[in-house]
Amino acid sequence: MATSVFILLFSSSLLLSLAYACDRCVHQSNASYSTSSLAIAAGTCGYGAIAMDFNGGFVAAARPALYREGLGCGGCFQIRCKDSNLCTTGGVTVVLTDLNKNSQTDFILSRKAFMALGRPGMALKLMRLGTVDIEYKRIPCEYKKHNLTVRVEETSQKPSNLAINFLYQGGQTDIVLVDVAKVGSSDWKYMTRSGHSAVWNTSNAPAGEGLQFRLVVTGGYDGKWVWTEKEVLPADWKIGAMYDSGVQITDIAQEGCSPCDTGDWKRIN
């Protein structure tokens, strides 16, 4: 039974990830901004205010096709506006932290990110426009000073109800499966992603000892296992606490689509 559930969860998550392949290619769209950057950072992905530390406050809400029911949370996108008189050629990098329910634009950027689209002295003109035509592509996230970090969410309740969120997810991948077990044990318990957020939970977490995790991320043209080789959560884990996993994700998922622009957009003011 557990094996069947594992296969079903993995297959459905991987299919959802592949269904929106080729997001590394350049797409044309438009973007606006929010007057409250914290509202976007603390959006439906469930990261909370700490998301303001992900990329210097350059965060964004994205339309459902990019949000992918929460699977797209934590993804990084390079965005630049198409008006060369107002905007730089390099644009900005944003981290997806929220769902954009506004059908008029694909992205709603934090105020700080939106202003950074502009050339020197052009930020106020951009703000007055409110919405600009853009092109965007997904790029790898880089967190050189952080390993993948596990935060215990407030909905957790000892001994067996455990909810976690992964912070500082590097590379260009999606986390499609998460298992938890006691350190040194092969009795893995699968976790499920909550609703449309990035939170993973289980009501069957092992109790009384330190915990380790294994994840499946989209790496190459398929899934790839990532294992934490040490105790991540201590036996006395605390709600709200953050724990270093000891690993960094740097993989870039390969997509079975035609070649496209994957080069760097250099910033030229």
Side-chain angles (χ1 to χ4, degrees):
M1 177 65 177
T3 302
S4 300
V5 172
F6 172 90
I7 295 173
L8 178 62
L9 290 172
F10 172 73
S11 300
S12 60
S13 297
L14 188 59
L15 285 173
L16 180 60
S17 179
L18 296 176
Y20 299 101
C22 300
D23 55 6
R24 63 184 169 83
C25 296
V26 177
H27 299 273
Q28 311 297 317
S29 185
N30 48 34
S32 61
Y33 71 93
S34 171
T35 55
S36 174
S37 297
L38 183 58
I40 292 180
T44 51
C45 288
Y47 296 128
I50 195 173
M52 295 299 291
D53 184 49
F54 286 172
N55 191 40
F58 285 37
V59 293
R63 63 187 172 94
L66 295 171
Y67 188 80
R68 290 176 293 144
E69 300 180 6
L71 192 61
C73 288
C76 292
F77 291 85
Q78 191 169 8
I79 299 174
R80 62 183 179 185
C81 89
K82 297 171 66 175
D83 188 336
S84 59
N85 292 319
L86 291 177
C87 300
T88 68
T89 57
V92 297
T93 297
V94 298
V95 180
L96 198 162
T97 58
D98 195 11
L99 172 63
N100 174 19
K101 299 178 182 179
N102 178 1
S103 61
Q104 303 302 312
T105 63
D106 277 1
F107 287 94
I108 298 179
L109 308 185
S110 61
R111 180 186 177 94
K112 185 177 181 180
F114 191 83
M115 293 178 68
L117 290 171
R119 291 177 178 273
M122 295 296 179
L124 291 180
K125 287 187 177 181
L126 280 178
M127 302 296 284
R128 284 196 291 267
L129 287 175
T131 300
V132 294
D133 292 328
I134 63 165
E135 51 188 10
Y136 70 89
K137 59 184 177 180
R138 188 175 179 186
I139 62 172
C141 298
E142 293 186 9
Y143 298 108
K144 295 179 180 179
K145 296 181 179 180
H146 294 278
N147 289 329
L148 184 69
T149 300
V150 176
R151 184 180 66 195
V152 179
E153 299 299 297
E154 293 181 356
T155 52
S156 298
Q157 187 175 3
K158 290 185 176 182
S160 57
N161 290 320
L162 176 64
I164 60 171
N165 208 330
F166 292 99
L167 312 177
Y168 307 111
Q169 177 188 341
Q172 188 173 321
T173 63
D174 299 325
I175 296 176
V176 297
L177 194 95
V178 178
D179 289 340
V180 61
K182 293 180 180 180
V183 173
S185 171
S186 60
D187 184 17
W188 293 95
K189 308 296 184 182
Y190 70 86
M191 305 186 75
T192 56
R193 195 160 45 81
S194 302
H196 299 290
S197 73
V199 176
W200 292 83
N201 62 69
T202 179
S203 59
N204 195 27
E209 295 183 32
L211 301 178
Q212 61 183 345
F213 296 89
R214 64 179 184 181
L215 299 72
V216 174
V217 302
T218 50
Y221 290 96
D222 204 343
K224 172 187 175 180
W225 284 105
V226 175
W227 299 69
T228 61
E229 298 181 355
K230 67 179 186 68
E231 175 184 281
V232 179
L233 298 192
D236 61 341
W237 50 262
K238 307 296 185 183
I239 292 175
M242 296 186 293
Y243 300 93
D244 190 331
S245 72
V247 301
Q248 284 194 345
I249 297 177
T250 58
D251 299 89
I252 297 177
Q254 302 299 314
E255 300 162 328
C257 54
S258 301
C260 58
D261 175 15
T262 57
D264 292 335
W265 290 345
K266 301 299 182 182
R267 186 178 180 93
I268 303 175
N269 292 333

